[in-house]
Amino acid sequence: MVVGGLAALIGQPAGWAATGALVLGLLLAAGGAAYGALLAHGWARPGVFAPAALLWLLAFPLARFLHATFTPVLLGGPVTPPPDVLGFLAYQGIVSMGYAVGFIWLHERLAPRWLVRIREHNPTAERILGAYLAHAEVVYRQREQRRARRRAGRERAG
């Protein structure tokens, strides 16, 4: 949606904006599906940034490259790769870390709610939800331990 909004903002035709948004959205959705597969196979755990960062370090620049190169073809133009492909990919790799942080944050807030809804008929969803619940329990215990230490420190100081 951001791509479509930005394209419309700079004066691109509505068809170009919609096509660009759809193409990039589908490519990023494929990256998100790959992350879901990592969770489903146990190769990534909720709350761990490294697997998501590595995935998006590859998937985000690839998605942006395919988007920039082939969207013009869908609109009747030629294949148009960026002039400096390596510079483009390097920049997208840098941007991908921010995207990975946002993706993880959003995924950890939306996925558990969806997994709760489908877990009864989907054993993989049940397993992934179990991993999310275990992660939430660890985070909760750590937070409570920090609070208890702070309270004890204040009581000693007071």
Side-chain angles (χ1 to χ4, degrees):
M1 290 189 318
V2 172
V3 168
L6 289 173
L9 184 68
I10 63 169
Q12 293 293 333
W16 192 95
T19 302
L22 181 64
V23 169
L24 187 59
L26 290 173
L27 292 168
L28 294 176
Y35 181 73
L38 291 176
L39 288 176
H41 291 306
W43 298 332
R45 289 179 297 140
V48 179
F49 179 68
L54 290 174
L55 170 78
W56 287 111
L57 182 61
L58 299 173
F60 189 80
L62 179 62
R64 283 289 297 120
F65 178 77
L66 293 172
H67 169 256
T69 302
F70 295 106
T71 298
V73 173
L74 296 174
L75 298 167
V79 173
T80 313
D84 177 13
V85 173
L86 291 178
F88 178 86
L89 292 174
Y91 177 75
Q92 299 306 319
I94 292 167
V95 171
S96 75
M97 291 301 103
Y99 187 84
V101 169
F103 176 84
I104 287 293
W105 182 85
L106 190 62
H107 195 275
E108 288 184 355
R109 274 135 192 88
L110 297 179
R113 289 181 171 96
W114 179 68
L115 294 170
V116 164
R117 294 179 69 175
I118 66 169
R119 71 180 176 185
E120 290 179 14
H121 62 275
N122 187 330
T124 302
E126 180 73 35
R127 190 169 37 77
I128 295 171
L129 181 62
Y132 270 109
L133 293 174
H135 173 66
E137 185 177 320
V138 168
V139 169
Y140 177 79
R141 270 192 262 121
Q142 290 172 344
R143 184 177 61 207
E144 291 303 310
Q145 289 172 350
R146 283 192 303 270
R147 286 181 180 169
R149 283 193 300 268
R150 278 190 297 238
R151 265 185 258 132
R154 283 192 296 256
E155 290 172 4
R156 280 193 303 264

